[in-house]
Amino acid sequence: GEFNLSQLVADIESADFLIAHNAKFELQWLVRCGLDIANVVVWDTMLGEYVIGGNRWVWQQLSLPASVKRRLPDDPSNYKKDFISAMFKAGICSSEVPESWLLSYCARDTILARKLFESQRTYMLEDSQLMPVMYTRCLATPVLADIETAGMQLDNDKVSGLIEEREREYQKSLLDLEEITGGINTNSPKQLASFLYGGEGAEELPVPPLKFAELRKRGEPLRTPSGLRKTDAGTLLKLKATTKTQKKFLEIHKRTKELHNELSKYLRKFEQCGKEVGGRLLAQFNQSNTRTHRLSSSGLDYSTQFQNFPRAYKPIFRARHDGWLVGEADGSQLEFRAAAHLGRDGVALEAILSGVDVHRESANFLGVSRQDAKAETFKPLYGGRTGTPEQVRYYEYFRKTYYGIADTQQRWIDTVLNTGALRTEWGLKYYWPNTRMERSGYVVNSTSICNYPVQGFATAEIIPIGLVYFWHYVRAAGLSMMLVNTIHDSIIAELPPEEREHFHVLAQIALIDEVYAYLEGVYQISLTVPLAAGVMTGRNWSDEDAKKNETTYTATEGTFSVK
């Protein structure tokens, strides 16, 4: 039981570091035993395999058995015949397993975890560039273990109001869809195909078919494996509307699907969470699920994760204590700044130093609003080349303007084409062994080769550094605020109003000042661009009041130049 483990806690507190596979889970259990995880440094053997693997191995390949079989294939205590694991997989509770069997099973796992650690450490000492990456991943683990148990608090009144609004929109959209289709079952691929393209079954439709042209490849229509005309959501997005009716249908159908997804995937689950547990929503951080190495998340009881839900939902979260605020601090234009550093791009540096609004720049070029332009601004950073004629012209303009970034990304592509892998400036190695050049000159994997280093440096290295410092500073200062989430380039906390100034100051220190020192000291990287942090606080997360009072802080010390 957790109340009889004082000796274990004392042993861990006296150790230099703790070895565990999936250490975040173990730390959360040890907190209940009385361990202060702020004083614990871990070596997570799951993360060790993840770091060594780069983008080769994810989640299912990182279990202790899978890692041991890969790294210690000839060890006599390996998982050749794992009877106990088979029992667990069959749903047998550990309490039903004989104690002597359990002890033997646990002893074997403990011994193998140590051997796995020793093998990983030997590998990383030989390939010393990986050790800083591993160190950063492990330092972030106790922080994530703590944040994960806090959860985020829904504002149940705002959830109810948003559901009512979306339900009205959804019902109206269904009526609009029924009117334009004549009431056919749009969930029936056969009926929908007849309505979209005409031909077979069209004579039975209550309205004339739209007569879209089928998508084609090399002159042949794209069909399902069984030869049916395609009606899936991806196909509908690619259909070209040539009449007003076709355009109207695509708009209504898309909006109906969006509203259905909002209600079923998020809002009704938020409402259920409010009714059943008062609105405390929990999710877990996945430290080894992405190929870029940035975090992802998975929903727990209500299956709604924290990383990628629509921005419109942010204001429906509030602080759990009456009168408290929700604060968000994010790395401003972080991926652009990361790309400017990696590309040693003087034009990009000048744009950053001059305060050029790159979103406004792309909006003017594309002839859209600044908000609409955000989705397009940095697509060239991730290998974006295709789209509408306006988008293609913008992407070409971006590459010509920021030629340092573009040339560096082309050099990455050439390196991977020749070697199948790319060693990043901070030490992590990405692998694309199937990279090849097609007859058209296009290099397979170009998009991910351009994407991974930029996204990885910004959100898998820089943000975790800031997150770790922020968390430790809050604890060291004895503040009441609590970290409740981190999303790619941001840190979210709940705080009493009297700690608003502390939140602003710590955001500057953690996300700007300490990052420079850490990159220099641990990675031997001298950052060539100024970092910036946007900080806002409000009664609800990222509500209009918080946005009105947003403050951006920029690095003021140091001379930034491109060699």
Side-chain angles (χ1 to χ4, degrees), residues 154 156 269-280 302:
L154 288 161
N156 295 325
K269 291 180 179 179
F270 290 163
E271 184 178 48
Q272 183 184 0
C273 177
K275 291 177 179 178
E276 294 178 350
V277 295
R280 186 70 55 81
Y302 299 96

Side-chain angles (χ1 to χ4, degrees), residues 412 415-423 429-433:
W412 294 342
T415 299
V416 176
L417 186 60
N418 289 325
T419 67
L422 178 70
R423 172 76 74 175
K429 196 170 184 180
Y430 293 118
Y431 299 83
W432 293 273

Side-chain angles (χ1 to χ4, degrees), residues 279-353:
R280 186 70 55 81
L281 194 66
L282 297 173
Q284 68 179 22
F285 294 107
N286 305 314
Q287 294 175 274
S288 56
N289 272 27
T290 68
R291 299 196 183 275
T292 61
H293 274 237
R294 74 177 184 180
L295 292 172
S296 68
S297 70
S298 302
L300 293 179
D301 295 337
Y302 299 96
S303 303
T304 55
Q305 47 86 19
F306 282 168
Q307 299 288 315
N308 293 315
F309 54 63
R311 287 179 174 270
Y313 297 166
K314 285 186 176 183
I316 65 176
F317 288 88
R318 64 171 179 83
R320 67 203 66 199
H321 300 302
D322 290 341
W324 277 37
L325 307 172
V326 179
E328 180 174 16
D330 69 84
S332 300
Q333 294 184 348
L334 183 58
E335 292 182 1
F336 181 57
R337 293 169 192 261
H341 166 79
L342 295 173
R344 301 303 194 271
D345 193 309
V347 178
L349 174 61
E350 184 58 35
I352 293 167
L353 292 172

Side-chain angles (χ1 to χ4, degrees), residues 209-376:
L210 296 176
K211 295 187 177 180
F212 276 105
E214 284 187 76
L215 300 179
R216 292 178 176 271
K217 186 174 183 179
R218 297 188 180 95
E220 295 297 320
L222 294 174
R223 298 287 177 88
T224 67
S226 58
L228 299 177
R229 293 177 292 181
K230 300 187 75 171
T231 61
D232 59 279
T235 297
L236 263 62
L237 286 173
K238 296 175 183 176
L239 292 178
K240 302 297 182 184
T242 58
T243 69
K244 289 183 178 180
T245 307
Q246 289 177 344
K247 183 178 180 181
K248 184 179 179 182
F249 166 76
L250 291 179
E251 290 173 350
I252 295 172
H253 188 271
K254 179 183 177 183
R255 183 57 180 156
T256 304
K257 287 290 185 183
E258 288 173 346
L259 289 166
H260 177 268
N261 289 337
E262 276 195 64
L263 289 163
S264 60
K265 289 183 178 180
Y266 296 105
L267 295 178
R268 289 173 186 150
K269 291 180 179 179
F270 290 163
E271 184 178 48
Q272 183 184 0
C273 177
K275 291 177 179 178
E276 294 178 350
V277 295
R280 186 70 55 81
L281 194 66
L282 297 173
Q284 68 179 22
F285 294 107
N286 305 314
Q287 294 175 274
S288 56
N289 272 27
T290 68
R291 299 196 183 275
T292 61
H293 274 237
R294 74 177 184 180
L295 292 172
S296 68
S297 70
S298 302
L300 293 179
D301 295 337
Y302 299 96
S303 303
T304 55
Q305 47 86 19
F306 282 168
Q307 299 288 315
N308 293 315
F309 54 63
R311 287 179 174 270
Y313 297 166
K314 285 186 176 183
I316 65 176
F317 288 88
R318 64 171 179 83
R320 67 203 66 199
H321 300 302
D322 290 341
W324 277 37
L325 307 172
V326 179
E328 180 174 16
D330 69 84
S332 300
Q333 294 184 348
L334 183 58
E335 292 182 1
F336 181 57
R337 293 169 192 261
H341 166 79
L342 295 173
R344 301 303 194 271
D345 193 309
V347 178
L349 174 61
E350 184 58 35
I352 293 167
L353 292 172
S354 303
V356 172
D357 186 339
V358 287
H359 293 308
R360 175 60 60 194
E361 196 175 61
S362 62
N364 292 340
F365 193 99
L366 294 166
V368 298
S369 69
R370 185 181 183 277
Q371 185 61 39
D372 290 340
K374 283 186 175 182
E376 304 297 329

Side-chain angles (χ1 to χ4, degrees), residues 380-383 409 412-413 445-454:
L381 292 182
Y382 312 127
Q409 290 182 319
W412 294 342
I413 293 171
N445 298 319
S446 290
T447 300
S448 56
I449 294 168
C450 293
N451 175 11
Y452 287 11
V454 174

Side-chain angles (χ1 to χ4, degrees), residues 497-516:
E498 60 270 19
E499 292 183 5
R500 188 198 302 255
E501 186 60 29
H502 293 85
F503 184 74
H504 278 255
V505 171
L506 291 183
Q508 295 177 68
I509 295 172
L511 289 175
I512 300 176
D513 301 341
E514 296 291 8
V515 170
Y516 289 107

Side-chain angles (χ1 to χ4, degrees), residues 117-158:
F117 151 70
E118 290 169 344
S119 174
Q120 291 173 350
R121 183 176 60 176
T122 298
Y123 186 98
M124 291 190 201
L125 288 174
E126 293 174 354
D127 184 355
S128 59
Q129 288 178 283
L130 290 177
M131 195 64 84
V133 180
M134 180 63 179
Y135 186 58
T136 302
R137 299 289 183 277
C138 288
L139 284 185
T141 298
V143 183
L144 296 172
D146 179 62
I147 296 174
E148 198 173 271
T149 58
M152 294 195 73
Q153 179 63 46
L154 288 161
D155 188 324
N156 295 325
D157 291 338
K158 288 187 179 292

